[in-house]
Amino acid sequence: MGWLELEGAANARDVGGLPTSDGRTIAERALLRADNLQGLTPTDVKLLVDDLGLRTVVDLRSTREVEAEGPGPLRAVDTVRHVHLSVLPERGEMTDAAADALFTRREKALARYPADPMCALYLGYLEDRPENVVGALRTIADSPSAVLVHCAAGKDRTGVVAALSLTAVGVRREAVVADYAASGTRIEGIMARLRASPTYAPDLEKRGGGNDTHRSREETMDTFLTQVDKRYGGVLAWLDNHGFGAADTARLRAKLVAPA
């Protein structure tokens, strides 16, 4: 994977290079992932658009987040398409800090998987907004050039959509898990940005805990994918049951996997 050292984002990377089970790799400059894009500088925009060929942004934030933050710098670029697909229920004060999404509905969330609250939250994305999860993968498959998926922290909502996309096209489980956990190495920068934001700081204060509380851990993604296997028969079966069939998967694979 290649980190994108942006001036206005803390958790941006290209997932190109991840290995597939058939000996191929994910293409570079095909799928990018990041945290909040509101602070991008002109230099960042040039890197993403001119150098990496970014043409599509998939925004997984809630409507409340999008409205509170306002348009970011990439909104001014005519060649970049923006697709908003929240994976949280559109009610309440919900942000990527997950305070409301997880804790005001704590009993329901924890009932999904009591042993790991974050895994429980991720399973909720699949149960609460399957149409938007599928829509995100379809947008990735249909993008003619580089596509960037982001939320606020770039680790939970983005981590789940990235993991589903990579698993669907055959990336090895250990590589999917490692890509998810890589966000944990950037947690200090991620949390500093969120704590400086009027949109996210209140959620973080309610939730409490230090940076380590929010760190992405390998076992969480491994558990999530295992639960998808047990509950739904695997990622491909879950996708197929929600309208993303073999032809869609083939298009996603053609988009993401480098030629042999």
Side-chain angles (χ1 to χ4, degrees):
M1 84 188 63
W3 288 103
L4 304 178
E5 301 298 344
L6 303 178
E7 297 171 348
N11 188 24
R13 58 188 182 272
D14 182 346
V15 302
L18 294 180
T20 61
S21 58
D22 62 356
R24 296 165 69 179
T25 61
I26 296 299
E28 295 182 356
R29 303 184 182 189
L31 177 59
L32 315 177
R33 52 177 295 176
D35 50 332
N36 200 343
L37 305 178
Q38 299 299 118
L40 295 183
T41 66
T43 299
D44 295 337
V45 172
K46 181 181 183 303
L47 172 65
L48 292 170
V49 177
D50 296 342
D51 299 345
L52 299 181
L54 178 64
R55 292 296 178 268
T56 306
V57 171
V58 178
D59 186 347
L60 302 176
R61 297 175 300 166
S62 69
T63 299
R64 183 250 174 182
E65 290 170 85
V66 173
E67 292 175 348
E69 292 282 276
L74 280 174
R75 285 282 182 178
V77 181
D78 292 339
T79 58
V80 177
R81 175 191 178 211
H82 293 262
V83 181
H84 177 218
L85 294 165
S86 172
V87 296
L88 296 178
E90 291 290 318
R91 60 180 183 272
E93 299 293 310
M94 297 181 182
T95 75
D96 201 28
D100 292 302
L102 180 58
F103 292 101
T104 63
R105 298 181 293 119
R106 187 177 181 87
E107 290 186 6
K108 179 181 178 181
L110 288 179
R112 294 185 179 111
Y113 194 77
D116 188 331
M118 295 312 295
C119 177
L121 179 65
Y122 299 168
L123 291 169
Y125 302 160
L126 305 188
E127 295 178 14
D128 294 332
R129 299 307 298 270
E131 75 284 1
N132 281 0
V133 173
V134 168
L137 268 66
R138 185 165 283 119
T139 302
I140 293 169
D142 291 342
S143 178
S145 186
V147 55
L148 185 151
V149 179
H150 84 99
C151 50
K155 63 186 184 70
D156 299 313
R157 292 174 286 190
T158 297
V160 167
V161 168
L164 295 176
S165 301
L166 295 170
T167 300
V169 301
V171 173
R172 296 175 184 171
R173 172 71 63 89
E174 63 269 23
V176 174
V177 170
D179 174 64
Y180 165 82
S183 293
T185 67
R186 297 292 177 104
I187 196 62
E188 286 76 16
I190 294 169
M191 299 309 296
R193 294 190 72 226
L194 293 176
R195 290 188 179 107
S197 166
T199 302
Y200 301 106
D203 270 355
L204 292 172
E205 184 176 353
K206 284 189 289 184
R207 186 173 179 184
N211 289 349
D212 201 52
T213 303
H214 303 274
R215 193 180 304 276
S216 302
R217 293 177 170 81
E218 289 187 354
E219 54 266 31
T220 294
M221 180 51 64
D222 188 56
T223 298
F224 168 71
L225 292 173
T226 298
Q227 287 299 308
V228 173
D229 291 342
K230 291 180 176 179
R231 296 172 186 229
Y232 310 115
V235 168
L236 290 177
W238 184 87
L239 289 170
D240 187 65
N241 286 337
H242 291 88
F244 193 91
D248 297 300
T249 300
R251 286 188 300 107
L252 183 65
R253 183 173 173 81
K255 164 68 181 179
L256 294 184
V257 179

